[in-house]
Every structure is written in C-alpha cells, then in structure tokens.
Amino acid sequence: MHRIAIVGGGTGGTVLANRLANELKTEIEAGEVEVRLITADPEHVYKPTFLYVPFGKKTVDDASRPIEELVDRRVTLEIGEVTGVDTDRKQLSFPDGSTLEYDQFVLATGANLEPEVIPGLAEGGHHFYGPDGAERLRDELAEFTEGHIVLSVIGVPHMCPAAPVEFTLMVDDWLRERGRREDVDVTYTYPINRAHGLESIAEWATALFEERDVTLETFFNVDEIDPDAGIVETVEGIELEYDLLVAIPPHRGSDLVTDAGLGEDGWVDVDRHTLEATVAEDVYAIGDVADVPTSKAGSVAHYEAGVVADRIASRARGQTPTATYDGKTVCFLEAGMDEATFIEFEYGEEPYVREPSKPLHWAKLGYNESYWLTARGLL
Amino acid sequence: MTDVFNPDVTIDSRGATCPGPMMDLIGKVKTLDPGTVVELQTSERNSTTDVPEWLEKAGHDLLEIEERDGHWNIYLEVN
C-alpha cells in the first residue's frame, strides 16, 4: 500500500489531505493508498480570526473547529505528536517509540511564536497572534483611555506580513469610533527603511499613517523591552516609551525539521515551485514551515496544498508530476473597521493596492465565514 | 571575485515578493555568528541601495555588490 503521511493539521495539511482524498478516492477505497493526517491539536484553527478579537468583533471560539468535522472520511486522521523523521529510512517516530513508514511525506507543521527570545517581551508586550494573546489584548484595549500604543514588528519572518498594518489602521479607526483617539498616540515600527517589505504596501500604508496621525518609525530593530519602565530598546540605540505594546513576536519553525536535517533554522528548504525538500526524496513542505520567497500566509498554504496534492497523486499513480506553484498569494487587508483592500501576486510581481472599500471589507468577512469550505477542500 | 568571498550562507531571494529580500536578509542575519559571510541574491534593484543602508545602521560590513544577468549578488560579513 502506498502511504502518504502529512504532519500538521492547519490550513495546508487539512486542505492537502482533503484534496488527496478526492483525487485518490478510488485507490483509497481499494486499499491501495492511504492518506494519513497526523496532528497534535484536535482543533483546526483559522488564525485570521484573531485580528478581530482585540476589537471585540470575534471571540477565540470563532477561530477553531474540531478537525474531525473538516476532514474527508477517506483520510486516516490521527491526533498525536510526531517526535522524529528519518528521511533515509522513510520513517516517522512517535512518543511511545513506535514508528510508521511512509512512501511520501509532507511537513505542514506551521510557525510557532517565541516571544521569550526578546528579553522583557513576554512580560511587557501583547500580541494578537494566538488565542490567549488576543484575549488579553482585548481586555487591555477595552480599558485603554489615553497614552501611547506602539505596534512593533519584531519577528522576522512572521505570519501574515499584512496583519501589523491592518491592526494599526483598525485600532486607529476603532478608537475614533469610541471617541478615544484624540487622547491616544499610535506608533507603528518596522525593521527596515520603510513601512513594509513590499514597496507598494509600504507606500500605501505610509500615506494612510500620515493621514491618520500614526507615527512611523523605520529601521527599528527591537533588542529588548523594559516592562517596568515601559520602554522598547532597539539595536540602533533608540528608546521608545509605550503604555501599550502590541508586538509581532519572533517566530520559529519546527525542531522536527532541524533534527531531520531538512533545514537549519526550523524552516524546510524546498524547491519554490515543486515544494519538494532539497535534501531528501519524497518529502514536501507546505504552509508556514516551508521556506519559500513569499509570505507566510494562509492563501499560500492553500495554493501550495493544491499543487502538492496533484504532484503526490501523480507519483502515487506512477506518473510524472507536472503541477507547479508559481508563488500565488492573495491577501485581504483591513484598512479600518469597515473598509478593506485586496492584493494578489506571484513570484516576481509587485502587487497593486486597490482603493479600500466597504465591499472588499465585506468580502473579507464573507471569506472568513466560508474559510471552513476551503479547509474541507471544497473552495 | 565571487570565489574570493566564498559565502558561508546564500539567501536566494530572486523573485521574492512578500515581505521581500530585505526582510529575508534581516531574519537570517539575526541567527548567524559574527564572521559569517553571506551572499544575498536579489532581483530588486532597490536592494543595491537598501541593503547597504541597513548594513551601516546594523553594524555589518558590505563586501561587494555584483550585477549578474537579471539579479544582483550582495556579499556581506556579519559583525
């Protein structure tokens, strides 16, 4: 039997498992192929929901559903940890010492937050990149009547390069709606010489920040936080005082990756078009854990999953794979509480940022609801 | 000239869209020990001015910028 093993039940892993179940349904039902999805969390999380939690628009419960409700019945779903991968023996190992052989293997373990890497950040800063962080920030923001809010992009790389800009524009609008904006200063900081890695986003954001009285600090690389004094200190020697610090924390990949020799920093080295690991055969990576030259974004995981499903199914059938991933990335960007814009691009393209509008905001909210169809491999 | 530098680490950011070569470089450099020679491959002309500017601010050494067919190789040493 041809066994396809996928580790990680986020967007990439779930879409992939469902697409494979559909493409190989005949072979699976005949007992010739197994698609096994192994994931540690029985809940499937849609992270973009967390952006709305600090503003009271969503709750953390809205962000997740049991993964067994989303996965095709032909997928063998296993809730558990994988402790190691031996790519020479083509074997996974588990906490109880047991092993599982695979014919093709996909890493979709995502990105993890590691705020503890920056001294003082865990104590002195908030974030909206996970459920606990988003809820704590909601409580803090609800009581915030005056002072200095600093949104600081610290982690490089980080999930969703758009989210820091979105949060800043949303908090500005939200405070205005609640009549508190005049008593609050808002600052946005970024590590390089402009507001965003993408020039078109940087230009768009800079113009909006100026219009909305948001201070922009560039070349701002955070070294440490003094939580008692409320000061952010940078490599460049800047000390910035804050009353509420919202940080995009440092991120890391997976120890599974480093231990298996698939990538030095915990992100998997892959061919950017086939998503195949550069150093091992029959190993792929998709989603945030894959080191590809585009955003760590849900849409990337989604499109990569489609390509890898085709490639794996071809191999399972003894055919030469032909599907390739050209870097397709799609992002909705909130520009406040009721307007949004939208960008899409492929490798080598600079996206065009449309004028924000209410219909695009509604489209983003609409997609947030329909996402569960994407997870099921249907949309 | 390339052979003289013999980079320890190569970052291939050609065609990199979001968040782009500068962020790829910064993220990687944070993980490297002083003395590491890095080669950044970028297809963005702006990198040839942006990267030296960041290197100066961050205290790393620019070694060389080479123009190739459709891209640039930027060599630097981590301090």
Side-chain angles (χ1 to χ4, degrees), chain A residues 154 156 161 190 192-194 197-199 219 265 272 293-295 345-349, chain B residues 12-19 22-23 26-28 30-31 44 46 50 53-54 57:
Chain A
I154 301 179
V156 183
Y190 205 72
I192 62 174
N193 57 349
R194 53 176 183 263
L198 266 177
E199 277 198 66
F219 271 131
D265 305 329
R272 62 175 66 181
T294 186
S295 335
F345 49 91
E346 298 175 351
Y347 291 138
E349 288 179 359
Chain B
D12 183 0
S13 290
R14 290 171 293 178
T17 38
C18 182
M22 281 278 283
M23 294 293 269
I26 288 180
K28 189 69 183 178
K30 282 184 187 192
T31 69
E44 282 195 12
N46 286 345
D50 291 344
E53 200 180 351
W54 179 75
K57 290 249 180 199

Side-chain angles (χ1 to χ4, degrees), chain A residues 145-157:
Chain A
T145 53
E146 60 178 2
H148 188 198
I149 295 179
V150 174
L151 183 297
S152 187
V153 176
I154 301 179
V156 183

Side-chain angles (χ1 to χ4, degrees), chain A residues 11 60 65 70 101 104 130 189 237 258 260 275 290 332 340:
Chain A
T11 297
V60 300
R65 290 198 188 176
L70 301 169
E101 287 184 8
Q104 300 191 72
T189 85
T258 331
L275 289 318
F332 286 101

